[in-house]
Amino acid sequence: MTAAFRRKSLLRIAALLVFAVAGAGCATMIPREVVPERLADEAHLAGMPNIRVWGDASVESFAVLSRTEKPRTDALAATRGRREQQSPEVNILAISGGGDNGAFGAGLLVGWGDAGSRPDFDLVTGVSAGALTAPFVYLGRGRDAELREVFTKYKRSDIYDPGIVSPLLGSGLFDSSPLEHLIAKYVDDRFLREIANERRKGRVLLIGTTNLDAQRPVLWDMGRIAMSGHPQALNLFRKILLASASIPGAFPPVRITVRVEGRTYEELHVDGGVTQQVFVSRPSLAIRDGDPWSKRTATRLFIIRNGKISPEWEAVEAGIFSISRRSISTLIKNQGIGDLYRIYAKAQIDGTDFNLAAIPSEFGVTREELFELRYMQALYDEGYRAGFRGYRWMKGPPGLTRKALHPAPLNPETPALAVSMPD
């Protein structure tokens, strides 16, 4: 990372964030009705029931949600034979956040697709930059060209207005409306119909956000939103993608209107990476009576970490903003590694085949500003080459011994989707 980049990008943002915190007492924003704490678990979106669950919910809560799928199981019968012939495994893909580093994951997935060996994933999850990748991968190779565009065609001004917005005037330092418009460009009525069609086949797409009031992760079943037929379904779908990618403090939080006990309230949702950098849902969300998943006993989990998981040395200047920036980036890196360890530990217990990809430590291209096209193209190309040539997936998170990294054998008695975050 160059000194110029530190000065022009991260240092600038760190300084502004410190200023925002210092001025929070006099900052203003449009008033809202906050969901009372006692009603937080009951808040719902009118006309779209059972489309979300707390990311740290109990297995029982997920089971209640899955039981609402029973009327739709007949729709799975037509695809059951085809799906079972295609693959004896349940394939899960989890994509992390990472900002412009999301170009790596996009390249890896497109290259993997062009090589002809990328499976049709039964479950796809995404957070932040991963949330912008996940819907395209969920829809299959026909959307790969658009996925490539998203991470190689658009520069910083297409993502956010680089002009400073005073924290005294609102709830974010930068205007995220360019990203909002970019999402709307790709996520249209046809896109939503395709998502709904895949959900009816039994495939699941989950996007993670963070509910700031509750200080908890929220998982959104995007396919169920698409299937709802609600006139606001498209708008909500877009808002969730924007919320998952909204870095708190830098971008304004996304307001989501909910109902409870006959009253309307607004929740504030931000980047899902605030609570979890990458996630795999609990099993009950997707397993149903008669679902073809239940007949496939092997589970393969693929995680794409859009960042380097190895330490990155940097000479840090002694100023408060440089120290704060470096500390925050180190915190985020290690939070992500912690998420990988939790998922890996559960995968070992459940006999799930764990596979991890990350930006290689030797990748040395730097950028002068965030969302620099030259940098993103180089990172995309790095991922594409790895995916096309056959990526050598890591069998465990960093720091484990060679013995610990040996993949556990798949257990034929393990229920599908047995990987989960611990209680």
Side-chain angles (χ1 to χ4, degrees):
M1 184 178 296
T2 66
F5 174 66
R6 291 198 299 270
R7 288 194 301 271
K8 295 175 65 176
S9 299
L10 297 180
L11 183 57
R12 178 173 179 236
I13 292 175
L16 291 170
L17 288 175
V18 172
F19 175 65
V21 172
C26 55
T28 61
M29 62 181 294
I30 301 173
R32 67 184 176 100
E33 288 290 328
V34 180
V35 180
E37 181 179 2
R38 64 181 180 84
L39 299 177
D41 289 342
E42 302 173 35
H44 64 278
L45 285 87
M48 285 185 278
N50 302 308
I51 61 172
R52 65 181 188 172
V53 67
W54 294 114
D56 55 2
S58 65
V59 172
E60 290 73 21
S61 297
F62 277 78
V64 170
L65 182 59
S66 69
R67 283 197 291 271
T68 66
E69 289 281 324
K70 184 61 177 172
R72 302 189 187 275
T73 55
D74 291 343
L76 299 174
T79 60
R80 179 177 303 165
R82 177 179 63 81
R83 287 167 57 79
E84 288 179 349
Q85 290 174 5
Q86 282 184 345
S87 174
E89 303 96 4
V90 172
N91 291 295
I92 305 170
L93 174 66
I95 314 170
S96 82
D100 52 5
N101 284 331
F104 171 77
L108 176 65
L109 288 162
V110 175
W112 191 4
D114 285 350
S117 54
R118 192 179 85 196
D120 292 327
F121 297 101
D122 300 279
L123 169 65
V124 180
T125 75
V127 170
S128 195
L132 302 180
T133 304
F136 295 96
V137 180
Y138 177 76
L139 291 180
R141 292 199 58 202
R143 292 283 181 170
D144 280 1
E146 292 168 296
L147 176 58
R148 181 189 306 109
E149 278 188 6
V150 169
F151 285 95
T152 62
K153 181 178 178 181
Y154 302 103
K155 54 187 180 297
R156 181 177 61 166
S157 60
D158 296 313
I159 307 300
Y160 65 92
D161 186 343
I164 299 174
V165 178
S166 169
L168 301 181
L169 300 179
S171 51
L173 298 173
F174 304 110
D175 178 11
S176 61
S177 61
L179 176 58
E180 184 177 6
H181 296 151
L182 186 60
I183 290 172
K185 174 181 177 179
Y186 290 95
V187 181
D188 55 14
D189 289 324
R190 178 184 174 185
F191 194 97
L192 204 67
R193 287 194 299 270
E194 291 180 11
I195 294 287
N197 289 339
E198 294 305 313
R199 187 64 177 91
R200 292 187 183 99
K201 297 175 185 177
R203 300 176 62 233
V204 180
L205 170 64
L206 298 178
I207 298 300
T209 65
T210 297
N211 182 317
L212 278 183
D213 295 313
Q215 208 173 46
R216 297 175 70 184
V218 178
L219 308 186
W220 299 83
D221 188 331
M222 306 299 278
R224 188 179 277 119
I225 294 172
M227 289 193 305
S228 70
H230 194 281
Q232 290 299 313
L234 178 59
N235 182 53
L236 178 62
F237 196 104
R238 292 168 173 173
K239 289 179 72 172
I240 292 167
L241 295 183
L242 178 64
S244 187
S246 293
I247 304 168
F251 293 168
V254 173
R255 296 181 178 220
I256 294 181
T257 302
V258 296
R259 297 276 295 174
V260 60
E261 292 191 347
R263 292 191 58 183
T264 299
Y265 300 93
E266 281 188 322
E267 299 173 341
L268 292 184
H269 286 256
V270 297
D271 194 330
V274 171
T275 44
Q276 44 192 7
Q277 289 289 311
V278 65
F279 73 91
V280 178
S281 77
R282 298 178 185 279
S284 303
L285 184 60
I287 294 298
R288 300 176 294 280
D289 293 339
D291 193 315
W293 291 25
S294 62
K295 295 180 180 294
R296 290 182 284 161
T297 55
T299 303
R300 297 193 302 172
L301 169 62
F302 299 91
I303 300 175
I304 297 178
R305 179 71 183 101
N306 286 308
K308 294 181 180 180
I309 56 177
S310 56
E312 300 172 83
W313 191 90
E314 176 187 326
V316 180
E317 298 175 3
I320 182 173
F321 297 133
S322 295
I323 293 172
S324 298
R325 176 197 57 76
R326 181 64 167 173
S327 298
I328 291 171
S329 66
T330 302
L331 175 64
I332 292 172
K333 177 192 284 283
N334 285 279
Q335 176 196 354
I337 293 174
D339 290 337
L340 296 177
Y341 268 89
R342 284 190 291 273
I343 296 173
Y344 176 76
K346 196 65 170 67
Q348 289 289 288
I349 294 172
D350 296 331
T352 295
D353 182 26
F354 181 98
N355 300 274
L356 171 64
I359 297 176
S361 58
E362 60 270 18
F363 180 76
V365 179
T366 60
R367 75 274 219 207
E368 297 298 317
E369 63 180 22
L370 294 172
F371 299 100
E372 183 179 88
L373 285 178
R374 179 187 60 84
Y375 173 80
M376 295 177 68
Q377 184 66 62
L379 195 52
Y380 176 91
D381 292 342
E382 177 77 20
Y384 183 90
R385 285 191 295 270
F388 186 77
R389 295 172 180 173
Y391 186 78
R392 297 185 63 183
W393 296 84
M394 292 173 275
K395 305 307 293 185
L400 295 182
T401 64
R402 179 177 297 274
K403 181 179 180 180
L405 287 175
H406 185 73
L410 294 178
N411 182 353
E413 299 180 357
T414 301
L417 268 185
V419 179
S420 66
M421 298 297 289
D423 292 324

